[in-house]
């Protein structure tokens, strides 16, 4: 039976992560539907999905290494504020598609920095005996957030429009930053950290630990494949099946729902 790990700071970060991810997953679906409404096709929708993946393939790790010289709390707040401003601008100004893609691509650079910093922060504010449980409950929350976020995205786009959904996403990032602000620990900072040694150390670790390397490779393959499929759900549902936006949101929630069930049933 999962329980929320004791500790005020962990609960704040855990709640902040849920708030930002709920809006983020809603926004991914809203962006796909917005591009389709503007006459874009499957390729453009695929580019939108790719913008969220590319930062995880090197540049995100580089930026994370650079951010390590600042306190963890400050980095989390900066990432949330940066993403919040970007999506609020999109929601309020409705920029043309090329500008929209640029803003989304820049905002997505903060995603791996936020997640890596949050994971490192948890190791500092959670005791060793509670750490395994903290990771478990965080993973379940992430899957639940993507499930609910997709469904909410379809509903809000259907009733309120894609631009308003993207504005709400920006507000969830602001809310997340406000929650992190109340974390009592500033988080460790690593003065003089260089990105090259940090990334080299990570690669050496993967080469030395077969299980971690296998887990890393499996995750990359699974996530990349899932994103390729999920990115085209809106295209298929809109162009081929002629579903409405609410139905598309529920359809998009199928993959995270299956993952959530698996996490609940399997040790």
């Amino acid at each position: 039976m999962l329980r929320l790990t004791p500790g005020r700071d962990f609960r704040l970060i855990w709640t902040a992560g849920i708030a930002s991810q709920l809006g983020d997953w809603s926004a991914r679906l809203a962006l796909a539907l917005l591009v389709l409404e503007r006459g874009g096709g499957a390729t453009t929708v695929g580019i939108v999905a790719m913008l969220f993946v590319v930062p995880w393939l090197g540049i995100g790790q580089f930026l994370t290494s650079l951010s390590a010289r600042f306190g963890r709390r400050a980095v989390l707040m900066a990432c949330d504020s940066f993403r919040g401003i970007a999506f609020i601008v999109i929601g309020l100004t409705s920029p043309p598609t090329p500008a929209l893609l640029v803003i989304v691509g820049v905002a997505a650079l903060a995603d791996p920095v936020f997640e890596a910093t949050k994971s490192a922060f948890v190791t500092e504010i959670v005791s060793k005996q509670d750490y395994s449980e903290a990771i478990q409950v965080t993973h379940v929350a992430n899957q639940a957030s993507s499930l609910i976020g997709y469904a909410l995205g379809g509903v809000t786009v259907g009733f309120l429009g894609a631009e308003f959904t993207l504005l709400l996403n920006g507000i969830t990032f602001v809310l997340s930053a406000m929650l992190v602000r109340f974390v009592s620990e500033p988080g460790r900072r690593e003065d003089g950290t260089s990105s090259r040694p940090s990334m080299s150390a990570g690669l050496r670790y993967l080469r030395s630990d077969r299980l971690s390397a296998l887990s890393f490779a499996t995750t990359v393959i699974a996530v990349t494949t899932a994103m390729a499929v999920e990115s085209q759900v809106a295209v298929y549902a809109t162009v081929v099946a002629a579903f409405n936006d609410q139905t598309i949101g529920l359809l998009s929630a199928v993959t995270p729902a299956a993952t959530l069930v698996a996490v609940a049933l399997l040790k």
Side-chain angles (χ1 to χ4, degrees):
M1 181 70 178
L2 292 174
R3 65 185 180 90
L4 188 55
T5 305
R8 174 180 174 274
D9 284 347
F10 174 77
R11 288 195 294 270
L12 283 170
I13 291 179
W14 185 81
T15 305
I18 291 178
S20 62
Q21 286 209 21
L22 279 174
D24 200 29
W25 285 103
S26 297
R28 296 189 190 203
L29 181 59
L31 285 167
L33 294 173
L34 180 60
V35 167
L36 287 174
E37 288 174 7
R38 293 180 172 185
T43 301
T44 309
V45 173
I47 291 174
V48 171
M50 184 182 69
L51 292 174
F52 288 97
V53 176
V54 169
W56 294 87
L57 304 179
I59 189 172
Q61 288 78 0
F62 173 75
L63 293 174
T64 300
S65 298
L66 294 179
S67 70
R69 65 191 66 185
F70 303 100
R72 315 271 194 214
R73 183 179 61 193
V75 172
L76 294 180
M77 291 179 62
C79 289
D80 273 336
S81 300
F82 182 67
R83 295 184 292 183
I85 292 171
F87 281 99
I88 288 174
V89 167
I90 292 174
L92 291 178
T93 65
S94 188
T97 300
L100 173 71
L101 296 179
V102 171
I103 296 173
V104 171
V106 173
L109 293 174
D111 291 355
V113 180
F114 181 88
E115 293 300 329
T117 304
K118 183 178 72 172
S119 297
F121 206 0
V122 169
T123 66
E124 298 175 16
I125 62 178
V126 174
S127 63
K128 287 185 177 181
Q129 59 266 32
D130 289 329
Y131 182 71
S132 176
E133 192 169 39
I135 293 300
Q136 234 182 335
V137 74
T138 298
H139 182 66
V140 170
N142 289 344
Q143 293 300 322
S145 297
S146 60
L147 165 64
I148 298 171
Y150 262 138
L152 283 177
V155 173
T156 54
V157 170
F159 288 104
L160 302 173
E163 286 89 351
F164 188 82
T165 301
L166 295 171
L167 176 61
L168 288 178
N169 179 39
I171 294 174
T172 62
F173 284 126
V174 174
L175 175 60
S176 177
M178 293 173 61
L179 288 170
V180 173
R181 174 65 183 83
F182 289 103
V183 174
S184 60
E185 294 292 329
R188 186 162 57 91
R189 51 186 297 176
E190 302 170 7
D191 293 326
T193 297
S194 171
S195 60
R196 184 175 297 177
S198 298
M199 295 180 71
S200 298
L203 292 174
R204 284 198 303 273
Y205 177 75
L206 286 178
R207 287 197 296 265
S208 65
D209 190 288
R210 185 174 179 273
L211 181 59
S212 294
L214 181 61
S215 299
F216 176 80
T218 303
T219 300
V220 169
I221 294 171
V223 170
T224 303
T225 305
M227 287 298 294
V229 175
E230 290 174 14
S231 69
Q232 297 303 315
V233 167
V235 177
Y236 176 84
T238 302
V239 177
V240 180
F243 290 153
N244 59 31
D245 292 339
Q246 294 89 333
T247 304
I248 294 172
L250 295 176
L251 181 62
S252 299
V254 170
T255 298
T259 304
L260 190 61
V261 171
V263 171
L265 294 179
L266 301 177
K267 292 291 185 182

